[in-house]
Amino acid sequence: MVRTIYLIAAIAMLLLPAIVLAQSDTAIVQTPAAIAAPDPPAPPTNVVVADNPNDNGHSLRVQWTPSADDSTGRAIVMGYRIYRATSPDAPDSLWVERGSVARGTHAYVDRGSRDPASAAFIPKATDLYYRVDAVSADAAGRSAVAVGQAHDNWFNTKRVIVLIFVIIFVLLTIAFINAAKSGRTLYVRPLAGIDAVDEAIGRATEMGRPILYVLGLGTASDIATIASFSVLGRVAKKVAEYQTPILVPCYDPIVLTVAEETVKTGYSDAGRPDDFKPDSVYFVTQSQFAYVAAVNGTMLRERPATNVYLGKFYAESLLLAETGAVAGSIQIAGTDEIAQLPFFVVACDYTLIGEELYAASVYLNREPILMGTLKAQDWAKGVVILTILIGLAIRAASSKEFMAILFQVES
Amino acid sequence: MKRQLPLLVVFLAGVFMVIQYFVPAEFSEKAYEFLIDWTIIIGIFALALGIWSLIRVSYHKIKTKQEGYFYSYVALAGLFGMILFGFTFMGGLESYMFTHFFDHIMIPIQSTMFSLLAFFIASAAYRAFRARSVLSSVLLIAAFILMARVIPMGPLSDAVTVVSNWILLVPNLAAKRAIWIGVGLGIVATALKVVLGIERSYLGRD
């Protein structure tokens, strides 16, 4: 009995692999017949290729109506692929994929290079052919081919508002300059930081210590640096009159040359051109923290009575201002870098916030023409505030939920 | 003429830049890039003036034995050393000395300077957060709430997050935007003054 059982088991063990193999063979043979041919999604329709507006003439905008199987119908579309060729009859191998977008999208901007040697080059005024494929998991529905050309654009229509505002501002400036020239008195509110400049120079003279003037890390093309040059000229004239030394360490070589000329001019205007010392305006380095180390070293060795920081400042602002505070100097700062303003406010005695830096030269010179530009700035700010208020009122009147949205706070 | 010619150059360049901003065409783009390349070229020539200034000032400090004149030796040695090691016959920019001086001296020193910022922020915050007036007390409370946002506060976390988000997105952002608008107008006004020749302090003496 036992022998019979062993015999059956042995036969079963021998037959089992054969049965499994037979079944798997059957499955392989059956696979092609069992799987249906992939059914592509409906293709996108109404493909239109047009010049992309407001560009240099090397990009095209492709638009289409999404596939009927995008989010409706069978909803099998996963995205769209955009292909380009130089001929509508080009074989598949010459259709180059230019990009892909997610489902639900109906436009794509083919941004090309203007360099003919680049693979992404898009020539101007040349017919280019596009097709859009709606792609599902296993198939693609091809659209009809559309043609378009890229062209140069002569005006950026997105900047119309900027142009209008610049024109208004220029007209305001001209009007106020004329008013100032005609002898009308223009009132401008006093700035404590600027009023403190003369006082700080006087203090330095009394103490017999130099004034340190830092133009920041900006280049000569930064408006903040240009504004700072104006104040430097005024400070240089004052220090020349009081015969107080001035130190101007520079970060940028071009700034160095301009600063040198500005300080020389200040000394000349004060009638003391021979008192100007070439070593008082000097180049340090173009490495941010090496510059900080050098200026901090100067503060601690020379112990200037006053430190003036006007221009572009970045992470070094607090390193400079704190060292100056430790050295016991009066500190006047001003920058248009919003992120650095809190550091200057905390560590300095006076801070010119944003636009006050640009207004500083006007306050110091009090020339009618410059006063006119300052007044125009104030009026332009009024125009901006009025525009914002009118916009808010229109939105509030046109939307019931607007007031709720206005006071909504995202958590 | 000496003064009028630079003013004319500034006027033409300024007007071109304004027009270029509104014209996206290829020729306008290329002209802009051409002018920007010129600023780079001028910057390179100006660097020579900067190096000369550094050498002159350092030499003068050494000669007159001013306080800390020893550092001028270090500055000059670093300047000439790096120039020397950067030459091809000394191995160029990939040479052992050049890369080691840069990687093991320059970068650690810069990192050290930057890391000092943490301590300076602490000392500056100490001064700023002293509640001496109503405004500084408001500042102190706002700062405390914002700092509390990144600390686990248990059941108070949600409330702190809502209040701190409100502080950041409403009064803080409004103030920032006001400053941005002022800065933008100030930039246009100053640029206009420079282009029209009203502001000419950057030209130096006649």
Side-chain angles (χ1 to χ4, degrees):
Chain A
M1 184 61 188
V2 175
R3 272 188 177 181
T4 311
I5 290 167
Y6 281 142
L7 189 62
I8 292 167
I11 291 167
M13 292 285 280
L14 286 168
L15 285 175
L16 191 64
I19 292 163
V20 170
L21 272 173
Q23 281 180 341
S24 63
D25 282 349
T26 308
I28 290 163
V29 171
Q30 284 174 351
T31 301
I35 297 174
D39 187 10
T45 52
N46 302 323
V47 178
V48 176
V49 181
D51 175 48
N52 189 42
N54 308 319
D55 74 344
N56 61 2
H58 291 285
S59 62
L60 285 156
R61 183 178 172 84
V62 187
Q63 281 178 288
W64 61 89
T65 304
S67 159
D69 293 326
D70 188 302
S71 50
T72 54
R74 289 180 291 157
I76 56 171
V77 172
M78 296 169 71
Y80 297 93
R81 286 196 193 123
I82 296 90
Y83 292 88
R84 190 182 80 197
T86 51
S87 160
D89 309 318
D92 278 0
S93 60
L94 293 182
W95 282 90
V96 180
E97 186 182 333
R98 298 295 301 161
S100 58
V101 289
R103 68 177 174 186
T105 314
H106 55 84
Y108 175 78
V109 177
D110 186 10
R111 292 188 197 284
S113 162
R114 63 168 206 232
D115 176 13
S118 163
F121 175 63
I122 291 183
K124 278 190 275 193
T126 305
D127 280 346
L128 290 170
Y129 298 87
Y130 283 82
R131 73 159 211 259
V132 182
D133 289 7
V135 184
S136 68
D138 51 10
R142 284 185 184 185
S143 73
V145 173
V147 65
Q149 289 188 347
H151 294 284
D152 255 341
N153 298 120
W154 284 75
F155 184 72
N156 191 339
T157 52
K158 287 180 183 169
R159 292 176 178 173
V160 170
I161 298 291
V162 179
L163 182 63
I164 292 169
F165 197 79
V166 167
I167 290 169
I168 291 171
F169 186 67
V170 170
L171 292 175
L172 275 172
T173 307
I174 291 167
F176 278 105
I177 287 173
N178 284 334
K181 274 182 177 175
S182 65
R184 201 174 126 196
T185 311
L186 300 173
Y187 171 77
V188 284
R189 70 183 169 86
L191 285 178
I194 293 303
D195 292 340
V197 169
D198 286 349
E199 180 198 322
I201 296 169
R203 180 178 181 256
T205 309
E206 282 169 14
M207 294 171 79
R209 286 190 196 163
I211 284 177
L212 181 71
Y213 195 104
V214 183
L215 287 148
L217 265 56
T219 62
S221 58
D222 285 318
I223 298 291
T225 314
I226 292 172
S228 186
F229 286 139
S230 306
V231 182
L232 174 63
R234 164 79 181 195
V235 170
K237 191 180 169 192
K238 276 276 171 194
V239 297
E241 283 168 1
Y242 293 165
Q243 293 187 299
T244 306
I246 185 170
L247 298 169
V248 188
C250 295
Y251 173 82
D252 182 85
I254 300 179
V255 170
L256 164 80
T257 53
V258 180
E260 205 167 38
E261 281 303 309
T262 308
V263 175
K264 266 186 202 172
T265 305
Y267 274 79
S268 296
D269 291 347
R272 298 177 184 274
D274 296 337
D275 287 351
F276 171 70
K277 288 178 185 161
D279 286 354
S280 60
V281 185
Y282 55 97
F283 175 72
V284 180
T285 170
Q286 282 202 290
S287 168
Q288 183 184 21
F289 292 108
Y291 178 78
V292 174
V295 176
N296 283 359
T298 303
M299 281 182 204
L300 296 173
R301 281 194 302 276
E302 307 282 344
R303 299 268 166 187
T306 305
N307 298 332
V308 184
Y309 313 102
L310 296 179
K312 281 260 173 213
F313 290 88
Y314 302 98
E316 73 286 352
S317 61
L318 189 63
L319 293 172
L320 293 171
E322 270 297 286
T323 309
V326 169
S329 312
I330 282 190
Q331 304 203 93
I332 301 166
T335 185
D336 57 2
E337 286 294 321
I338 292 178
Q340 307 307 323
L341 278 171
F343 297 132
F344 278 145
V345 168
V346 166
C348 296
D349 300 282
Y350 302 96
T351 307
L352 301 174
I353 297 171
E355 57 168 331
E356 292 177 349
L357 169 64
Y358 304 117
S361 65
V362 182
Y363 277 92
L364 290 169
N365 291 319
R366 297 272 167 181
E367 283 179 26
I369 296 176
L370 295 174
M371 293 284 274
T373 61
L374 193 58
K375 267 312 231 197
Q377 254 175 270
D378 288 346
W379 273 79
K381 265 187 285 177
V383 170
V384 170
I385 292 167
L386 199 65
T387 311
I388 291 171
L389 290 175
I390 291 170
L392 283 170
I394 291 171
R395 280 299 304 270
S398 62
S399 166
K400 286 178 184 171
E401 291 135 21
F402 179 67
M403 295 310 282
I405 293 168
L406 198 64
F407 292 102
Q408 183 182 322
V409 176
E410 289 171 29
S411 58
Chain B
M1 187 64 185
K2 195 181 165 189
R3 196 157 181 95
Q4 282 165 345
L5 190 64
L7 282 173
L8 183 69
V9 171
V10 169
F11 176 76
L12 292 176
V15 170
F16 170 77
M17 284 297 186
V18 172
I19 295 170
Q20 195 280 329
Y21 180 76
F22 295 103
V23 180
E26 186 174 354
F27 77 91
S28 156
E29 211 175 67
K30 282 184 173 171
Y32 174 79
E33 286 167 8
F34 176 77
L35 288 176
I36 295 298
D37 285 347
W38 266 101
T39 62
I40 296 167
I41 293 164
I42 293 167
I44 291 166
F45 280 104
L47 190 61
L49 292 174
I51 292 171
W52 170 242
S53 165
L54 181 66
I55 294 168
R56 192 187 64 205
V57 172
S58 301
Y59 172 75
H60 182 72
K61 276 185 185 169
I62 293 167
K63 196 180 166 192
T64 55
K65 294 205 184 303
Q66 287 178 21
E67 188 188 350
Y69 74 94
F70 174 77
Y71 299 116
S72 296
Y73 278 120
V74 178
L76 289 176
L79 173 70
F80 289 114
M82 289 303 268
I83 290 172
L84 192 68
F85 295 133
F87 279 121
T88 313
F89 70 88
M90 291 291 286
L93 301 181
E94 302 297 323
S95 68
Y96 177 86
M97 292 300 279
F98 191 91
T99 53
H100 274 65
F101 269 116
F102 192 80
D103 292 344
H104 303 306
I105 296 179
M106 189 72 184
I107 289 178
I109 289 174
Q110 285 185 341
S111 306
T112 307
M113 284 304 297
F114 188 48
S115 60
L116 286 175
L117 199 56
F119 301 101
F120 282 7
I121 284 175
S123 64
Y126 172 74
R127 267 207 309 279
F129 296 156
R130 274 182 295 184
R132 288 174 298 185
S133 63
V134 177
L135 285 177
S136 56
S137 304
V138 171
L139 182 70
L140 172 64
I141 294 165
F144 177 77
I145 294 168
L146 287 172
M147 284 191 281
R149 189 173 64 150
V150 291
I151 301 167
M153 298 283 286
L156 288 176
S157 286
D158 287 346
V160 169
T161 305
V162 169
V163 175
S164 56
N165 280 354
W166 183 85
I167 291 169
L168 284 175
L169 295 175
V170 183
N172 173 59
L173 195 57
K176 271 178 152 181
R177 283 178 179 167
I179 295 171
W180 274 323
I181 290 169
V183 166
L185 288 169
I187 286 174
V188 175
T190 309
L192 199 65
K193 282 187 275 183
V194 172
V195 170
L196 296 178
I198 299 168
E199 173 65 72
R200 53 182 76 175
S201 57
Y202 62 92
L203 286 174
R205 72 169 109 187
D206 290 322

